[in-house]
Amino acid sequence: TRMLGMPLLNPALSARALGFGRVNHDWLGVLITPWCMNLLLLPTTDSDWTTQPPGNKFEQAFPYGSFEFTVVREAQLGCYAQCSLFSPMFQFEDQTAAETAGLSALQALLSQPAPRAVSRRDMLRGQFGSR
């Protein structure tokens, strides 16, 4: 309700949480809203970032690579960390498109190694793949 009537809202979208599962010491998933799409980390008792102040940033490693998350504290939600994927959301025609993009991003984050840069030396030696 705080965002109602704001010009950055995509009226074709609604709020939806997707794909939450346990990753390391946290719960990871995607939150879609009419104004943004974020990766969310929800803490467990073993999470080590929950003592950081709101607004603090930290790196979280995944199979694809490290991503920067920001600590947030909301009165109704408590402590969580977020990493922006899209904002605003006008590139999504409908809810299905936004959900497909969110789940694809989450799957890639957890299952694909980051592409390795090929140096000029590796290229001249014919070393294009992983070692």
Side-chain angles (χ1 to χ4, degrees), residues 29-41:
V30 174
L31 177 65
I32 296 171
T33 69
W35 57 91
C36 71
M37 183 185 309
N38 291 335
L39 291 170
L40 289 189
L41 284 176

Side-chain angles (χ1 to χ4, degrees), residues 2-123:
R2 288 185 282 181
M3 300 294 284
L4 193 61
M6 298 293 285
L8 59 99
L9 298 179
N10 180 340
L13 302 179
S14 59
R16 178 103 195 266
L18 301 169
F20 276 86
R22 187 81 182 256
V23 177
N24 300 321
H25 298 294
D26 305 302
W27 290 93
L28 173 70
V30 174
L31 177 65
I32 296 171
T33 69
W35 57 91
C36 71
M37 183 185 309
N38 291 335
L39 291 170
L40 289 189
L41 284 176
L42 303 178
T44 67
T45 56
D46 296 325
S47 299
D48 59 0
W49 51 267
T50 57
T51 58
Q52 297 182 29
N56 207 49
K57 298 180 184 313
F58 65 92
E59 293 286 321
Q60 182 70 34
F62 299 100
Y64 190 83
S66 284
F67 290 81
E68 185 177 78
F69 281 77
T70 303
V71 177
V72 179
R73 282 196 175 72
E74 289 273 342
Q76 294 179 337
L77 297 175
C79 183
Y80 63 94
Q82 65 184 13
C83 175
S84 179
L85 294 176
F86 296 96
S87 182
M89 298 288 283
F90 295 118
Q91 66 267 40
F92 298 106
E93 184 176 313
D94 56 26
Q95 188 75 21
T96 301
E99 290 180 14
T100 299
L103 289 173
S104 294
L106 188 60
Q107 181 181 14
L109 183 73
L110 297 174
S111 64
Q112 297 178 5
R116 184 174 80 82
V118 176
S119 70
R120 188 180 316 190
R121 183 176 293 161
D122 287 344
M123 188 171 71

